[in-house]
Amino acid sequence: MEVSTAIGRIDMVIYTKTNIYIFEFKPDKSTEEAMKQIHERNYDVKFQNDGREIIKFGNNLSSETRTIEKFIV
């Protein structure tokens, strides 16, 4: 589910007791582009005072196979 920020929308956020996982998905683009968007738009700022570890995932989606082809953390 998308989570709104001041300058964009995070594609997906998962909350656990110890971590917050931020996911950005880029169809047919590089994982580096997805991670770049997370950093440029400061998606983690919204969660910095939470106290849990923030883990960011940049994901490449394949429109051909309809799967995650590659991801970086």
Side-chain angles (χ1 to χ4, degrees):
M1 176 175 230
E2 291 184 340
V3 175
S4 294
T5 68
I7 58 171
R9 282 185 241 146
I10 304 168
D11 288 337
M12 186 170 71
V13 177
I14 297 175
Y15 304 88
T16 69
K17 289 182 180 184
T18 57
N19 300 312
I20 296 174
Y21 299 93
I22 297 173
F23 292 84
E24 183 63 31
F25 300 98
K26 289 292 179 198
D28 299 318
K29 294 186 180 175
S30 72
T31 56
E32 289 77 14
E33 287 180 72
M35 191 61 78
K36 182 179 176 184
Q37 182 172 327
I38 292 171
H39 291 289
E40 284 181 350
R41 296 191 182 179
N42 296 313
Y43 286 164
D44 60 329
V45 170
K46 181 174 184 144
F47 310 104
Q48 284 182 344
N49 292 327
D50 183 277
R52 291 179 268 190
E53 182 178 5
I54 300 168
I55 302 168
K56 302 168 229 174
F57 287 82
N59 299 275
N60 163 264
L61 298 175
S62 169
S63 60
E64 184 179 318
T65 63
R66 298 182 182 208
T67 61
I68 295 175
E69 281 192 334
K70 184 179 175 185
F71 69 91
I72 56 174
V73 180

